[in-house]
Amino acid sequence: MRLAELGDASDVAELLGQLGYPCTRDEAIERIATLHDDPRHYLLLAEIDGHACGLVASHTRYSLTHGADLTRITALVVAPSCHRQGIGRQLLREVERRARRDGVSRIEVTSNVRRAQAHEFYRSCGYSDGSLKFVKTLGD
């Protein structure tokens, strides 16, 4: 497991597409660059035999309601060919390890209501159901 670099843009684009958020290699380069120099963001890649097989992105921020920093997982995906090999758990545990190291005691993750398997995965990793999230796309 390692931090993603600009040279990983093709892999990042492929994995984000598998998660349902397609982007081009050039868009992935911009996204990696945006996160890369911000110490409160992590974009980690998991590899098998030198090939990217999963990624997790997280962001730590101060929460007014909790009075402390919290880490939010903003993306977690494992390539379908690599499912059921423990990669998702490894990615999640690395985010947890980094959060603890940084003094964070709470991690949040949002998952689309249609992703029942993902919900079961998070529950099996010790995460509990939380708040309902509302979204509004600003198109004006």
Side-chain angles (χ1 to χ4, degrees), residues 61-79:
R61 64 174 176 80
Y62 180 77
S63 168
L64 176 67
T65 56
H66 293 97
D69 281 346
L70 69 83
T71 295
R72 173 173 285 280
I73 295 170
T74 59
L76 174 61
V77 60
V78 174

Side-chain angles (χ1 to χ4, degrees), residues 5-124:
E5 300 292 338
L6 294 178
D8 298 314
S10 293
D11 291 329
V12 169
E14 174 68 25
L15 288 163
L16 287 175
Q18 291 172 2
L19 187 58
Y21 300 96
C23 73
T24 66
R25 180 184 164 281
D26 289 343
E27 290 169 333
I29 287 172
E30 289 179 31
R31 294 174 191 189
I32 294 167
T34 298
L35 302 181
H36 193 268
D37 294 329
D38 185 338
R40 296 178 66 84
H41 282 274
Y42 291 112
L43 176 56
L44 302 169
L45 285 181
E47 296 178 313
I48 295 178
D49 298 326
H51 300 288
C53 59
L55 71 73
V56 65
S58 67
H59 175 240
T60 299
R61 64 174 176 80
Y62 180 77
S63 168
L64 176 67
T65 56
H66 293 97
D69 281 346
L70 69 83
T71 295
R72 173 173 285 280
I73 295 170
T74 59
L76 174 61
V77 60
V78 174
S81 62
C82 299
H83 283 186
R84 304 274 185 234
Q85 296 181 36
I87 295 164
R89 283 183 191 278
Q90 289 175 10
L91 288 164
L92 207 54
R93 296 299 179 238
E94 182 61 16
V95 170
E96 293 168 4
R97 186 190 72 73
R98 288 171 184 258
R100 281 187 190 95
R101 181 197 67 200
D102 295 341
V104 175
S105 60
R106 180 184 178 93
I107 297 177
E108 297 180 345
V109 61
T110 302
S111 182
N112 189 293
V113 295
R114 295 183 302 266
R115 296 179 192 246
Q117 287 182 321
H119 305 163
E120 288 307 313
F121 166 74
Y122 289 120
R123 288 181 190 114
S124 74

